[in-house]
Amino acid sequence: MATDVPFPLAGKRVWVAGHRGMVGAALVRRLAAEDCEVLTVDRATLDLRRRAETEAWVADARPDAVILAAARVGGIAANDAYPGEFLHDNLAIQTNVIEAARLSGVAKLLFLGSSCIYPKLAPQPMAEEALLTGPLEPTNEWYAIAKIAGLKLAQAYRRQYGCDFISAMPTNLYGPGDNFDLEASHVLPALIRKAYEAKVERRPELVVWGTGAPKREFLHVDDCADALVHLLKTYSADLHINVGSGQEVSIAELAELVTRVTGYEGKIVYDAAKPDGTPRKLLDTSRLRALGWAPRIDLATGITETCGWFAEFRGIRER
Ligand code: GDP
C-alpha cells in the first residue's frame, strides 16, 4: 500500500484537470502559493471523455500529481434534465484520467467527488462511513453513482496497483467563477442572480424553488481548494475524506441572507411545484479537522464577496 506522506509539492508538476471550472480555477489560484509547476489543458485541445487522447496527453505532460476537478456538474434541474450526460461524461472523464495516471506512473492523484454520494436519509452530519448504507436522492443519483464509481476506482487502484490515489468529497461549494445560469446552477448562484435581477427590474417578488425548508451546508471554493491541497500533501489512505464548513442554513435563511446583501427589498415567495431534493446535507468533517485543517471564510463574508464578483462580471466567465 502506498503511504507516501508527506507529499511535498516543491518542484513537482501538478496537473489540475478541469481548471476552467469553479474548483479547478480556485486550485490554480491556491497552487500559485506553492513552489510547484501547474499544468492545465483546454477543453478544445483535450476532451477528457476520449480515452486514447487523454492517455497520450498525460504520457506527454508527465505530471507528478493530478487533481481531478474535471466533471459534468450542475444543480437540481440540470441533473434531472440530463441524466445520460451526467452519468456517462463523469464516468468517462474520471475513468480515463485515473487510468492514464496509472499508466504514466503519476505519484499522487486526488479525485473529487461530492456530498451527494451519501444516502438521501443518511444520519446527519454524514460521516464517511455513511457511503452505500441506503438509497440515494433521486434528483442527482446519476451524478452520485458516477462519483461513487470514481472514488471506488481510486480505492481499487490503491489495492491492486499500489497507486497513491485518494478521494475528497466536498460539500456544496460557492464563490467566484460559479455558474449563474438559472437552469443549470446550484441554489446560491441562482439566488444571487435572481436577487440582482429582481432589484434592477424592480420586481415585487423573488421566486425560490421548493419549500425553503431543506438545509444545506456551504463552503467557499477558496477554502475548498486550500483543503484539497492540504489533503494532497498530507493524506494517503483508502478512505475518502469529507470537505465541509459545518455552516448549515435552510434555503429560506439563505434567501434572506442573499436579499440582505444584494439590497433587494421585495417579497420572497416559494414555488412548491419545484423539488426540494434531499432534506439535509451536512458533512461530518471530524476527519479533515483531525488532519489539521479548518475553514477560514464564513458564509456571510463569502456571500458578500461572491455578490460583488457577480455584480462586476455579471456571471460571465471566460470559456
Ligand atoms: P442540491 O443541493 O443537489 O439539491 O442542488 P441545488 O443547489 O440545485 O438545490 C438546493 C436546494 O435549493 C433545493 O431544495 C432547491 O429546490 C432549492 N432552490 C431554491 N431556489 C433555487 C434556485 O433558483 N435554483 C436552484 N438550483 N435551487 C433552488
Side-chain angles (χ1 to χ4, degrees):
M1 181 65 55
T3 48
D4 294 340
V5 285
F7 182 80
L9 295 182
K12 299 255 166 56
R13 293 161 65 79
V14 183
W15 175 31
V16 177
H19 71 290
R20 293 279 192 200
M22 175 172 64
V23 181
L27 279 164
V28 171
R29 289 196 296 274
R30 172 60 186 79
L31 287 168
E34 300 286 327
D35 185 19
C36 65
E37 186 183 347
V38 178
L39 311 179
T40 58
V41 58
D42 281 315
R43 206 175 294 186
T45 310
L46 175 62
D47 183 339
L48 296 172
R49 292 170 301 183
R50 310 245 173 270
R51 178 156 179 167
E53 290 159 35
T54 305
E55 285 178 10
W57 187 85
V58 175
D60 188 54
R62 292 173 297 100
D64 300 299
V66 176
I67 307 181
L68 181 35
R72 177 100 160 85
V73 298
I76 199 162
N79 261 273
D80 207 39
Y82 309 108
E85 283 172 57
F86 272 81
L87 185 52
H88 171 271
D89 289 1
N90 286 308
L91 285 173
I93 292 167
Q94 69 205 26
T95 306
N96 293 344
V97 171
I98 291 172
E99 173 67 352
R102 177 183 79 83
L103 291 173
S104 294
V106 166
K108 185 126 197 180
L109 180 142
L110 171 55
F111 172 70
L112 251 80
S114 152
S115 58
C116 69
I117 60 162
Y118 294 116
K120 177 184 174 100
L121 300 176
Q124 305 285 324
M126 300 182 288
E128 285 83 357
E129 290 82 359
L131 183 67
L132 297 175
T133 55
L136 298 165
E137 156 61 36
T139 50
N140 54 28
E141 70 175 331
W142 319 99
Y143 181 74
I145 292 273
K147 290 295 182 184
I148 293 170
L151 83 86
K152 285 290 170 193
L153 195 62
Q155 238 174 41
Y157 275 35
R158 291 184 76 83
R159 295 212 180 166
Q160 185 173 345
Y161 306 114
C163 297
D164 190 0
F165 293 179
I166 58 170
S167 300
M169 300 299 128
T171 191
N172 290 31
L173 303 172
Y174 72 98
D178 210 339
N179 179 359
F180 288 86
D181 171 69
L182 290 182
E183 290 307 312
S185 68
H186 284 279
V187 59
L188 190 39
L191 292 181
I192 291 175
R193 178 171 184 158
K194 283 179 180 178
Y196 268 111
E197 290 183 352
K199 185 181 167 192
V200 169
E201 292 163 21
R202 295 180 203 282
R203 289 199 214 133
E205 290 183 346
L206 183 155
V207 179
V208 176
W209 295 356
T211 60
K215 290 184 163 179
R216 293 290 183 273
E217 174 190 23
F218 293 94
L219 178 70
H220 193 283
V221 71
D222 286 339
D223 268 342
C224 178
D226 192 56
L228 297 175
V229 170
H230 184 73
L231 287 174
L232 189 69
K233 292 201 282 195
T234 63
Y235 184 71
S236 177
D238 265 21
L239 192 66
H240 57 281
I241 296 290
N242 288 342
V243 176
S245 64
Q247 288 206 293
E248 192 189 32
V249 288
S250 72
I251 299 302
E253 287 164 343
L254 189 70
E256 272 165 30
L257 192 53
V258 169
T259 51
R260 234 188 358 260
V261 171
T262 53
Y264 173 69
E265 288 173 349
K267 199 167 153 225
I268 297 171
V269 296
Y270 292 91
D271 178 1
K274 288 278 201 288
D276 266 347
T278 199
R280 234 185 131 188
K281 212 158 56 166
L282 175 65
L283 290 179
D284 179 339
T285 51
S286 326
R287 279 202 173 82
L288 179 63
R289 285 176 182 256
L291 288 164
W293 187 86
R296 292 190 204 128
I297 307 170
D298 75 83
L299 188 58
T301 310
I303 289 181
T304 306
E305 181 219 84
T306 308
C307 285
W309 186 90
F310 178 73
E312 188 174 347
F313 298 105
R314 310 297 302 167
I316 297 160
R317 284 182 297 161
E318 192 198 339
R319 271 262 141 221

